[in-house]
Amino acid sequence: EDKVVQSPLSLVVHEGDTVTLNCSYEVTNFRSLLWYKQEKKAPTFLFMLTSSGIEKKSGRLSSILDKKELFSILNITATQTGDSAVYLCALTDKLIFGTGTRLQVFP
Amino acid sequence: GAVVSQHPSRVICKSGTSVKIECRSLDFQATTMFWYRQFPKQSLMLMATSNEGSKATYEQGVEKDKFLINHASLTLSTLTVTSAHPEDSSFYICSARGFLGTEAFFGQGTRLTVV
């Protein structure tokens, strides 16, 4: 059975801290790993990772995929209160989501 | 990103009635739509995947006669919760993916309350 596990489940940090969120999986034959941010309602798309070892970057967020060790990480540097959200990873094609990591950033 | 519209955003219905939720892709053709259910403080649980013109593929444990999914066009999929019960109360959210993309875009979700 396909499985996507995220860790930690919950994280509380202060503004300015750097965080690393993990997504590990047991899925055969997937095309891409996706990261989403969910604040109140709909998840918003962050990154799509297809190749191993190639970092994707967007502002203070970056992500990388390791297909050999079967995981991906999402890094957020210099966190802000607006980064508080649930971060979800998912694998295509079936779009199975991980358990999510709830990040809370306090001033 | 592409826009997916989900309607209604909130619905309260009586036990035993049916509720239809619509998911529309506004600026792209969605070959595949996903329907999820989300309980408070939990992740998205995939209920079913539908491809335009085909029957939906349901995940294990999801009753297909209870949660009817129709994907009759490339821009519209519907989820009908039939004979709703209080335990069906939840947040339902759809996601749509186009021909070539592997990322999917989400609707705003529907909060269903069955009383």
Side-chain angles (χ1 to χ4, degrees):
Chain A
E1 185 187 323
D2 295 337
K3 205 172 165 183
V4 182
V5 177
Q6 289 182 248
S7 63
L9 287 179
S10 181
L11 195 53
V12 180
V13 300
H14 286 291
E15 269 192 321
D17 288 350
T18 293
V19 297
T20 299
L21 310 182
N22 297 284
C23 173
S24 62
Y25 57 89
E26 294 171 20
V27 175
T28 52
N29 300 322
F30 71 97
R31 275 199 283 172
S32 304
L33 185 145
L34 312 176
W35 281 97
Y36 288 86
K37 177 183 181 183
Q38 186 177 26
E39 291 177 85
K40 288 185 181 170
K41 290 192 174 178
T44 52
F45 173 75
L46 294 175
F47 294 111
M48 179 173 72
L49 304 161
T50 306
S51 302
S52 200
I54 298 175
E55 186 183 52
K56 291 263 179 116
K57 216 168 156 55
S58 175
R60 296 177 294 103
L61 276 66
S62 63
S63 185
I64 197 161
L65 173 65
D66 185 329
K67 282 188 170 181
K68 188 179 171 191
E69 300 297 328
L70 309 183
F71 75 94
S72 173
I73 58 171
L74 174 69
N75 276 318
I76 308 175
T77 58
T79 51
Q80 301 170 357
T81 53
D83 295 328
S84 297
V86 175
Y87 291 84
L88 298 158
C89 67
L91 289 152
T92 63
D93 288 328
K94 211 173 176 184
L95 217 58
I96 299 168
F97 278 86
T99 43
T101 294
R102 182 173 297 275
L103 174 65
Q104 290 175 276
V105 182
F106 287 101
Chain B
V3 179
V4 176
S5 171
Q6 189 172 338
H7 176 82
S9 56
R10 194 183 292 261
V11 57
I12 301 173
C13 69
K14 282 190 175 177
S15 202
T17 60
S18 295
V19 174
K20 183 186 277 189
I21 302 169
E22 290 188 351
C23 181
R24 290 179 188 273
S25 56
L26 297 186
D27 52 1
F28 69 103
Q29 292 184 320
T31 47
T32 306
M33 287 205 180
F34 304 89
W35 285 95
Y36 296 87
R37 186 170 177 176
Q38 188 173 34
F39 292 103
K41 298 193 177 179
Q42 292 190 29
S43 188
L44 300 166
M45 185 193 81
L46 180 64
M47 297 173 68
T49 305
S50 74
N51 291 300
E52 184 264 338
S54 308
K55 283 187 181 178
T57 302
Y58 289 80
E59 293 301 300
Q60 198 171 7
V62 178
E63 297 174 60
K64 61 175 92 170
D65 295 330
K66 172 98 181 142
F67 299 99
L68 299 177
I69 290 171
N70 184 284
H71 190 169
S73 80
L74 283 170
T75 58
L76 174 65
S77 175
T78 60
L79 166 68
T80 301
V81 183
T82 61
S83 187
H85 288 284
E87 57 265 31
D88 299 325
S89 299
S90 191
F91 187 64
Y92 293 88
I93 191 164
C94 70
S95 172
R97 186 170 69 199
F99 282 112
L100 299 174
T102 50
E103 72 260 40
F105 300 94
F106 283 85
Q108 288 299 303
T110 297
R111 182 156 304 283
L112 169 65
T113 305
V114 185
V115 298

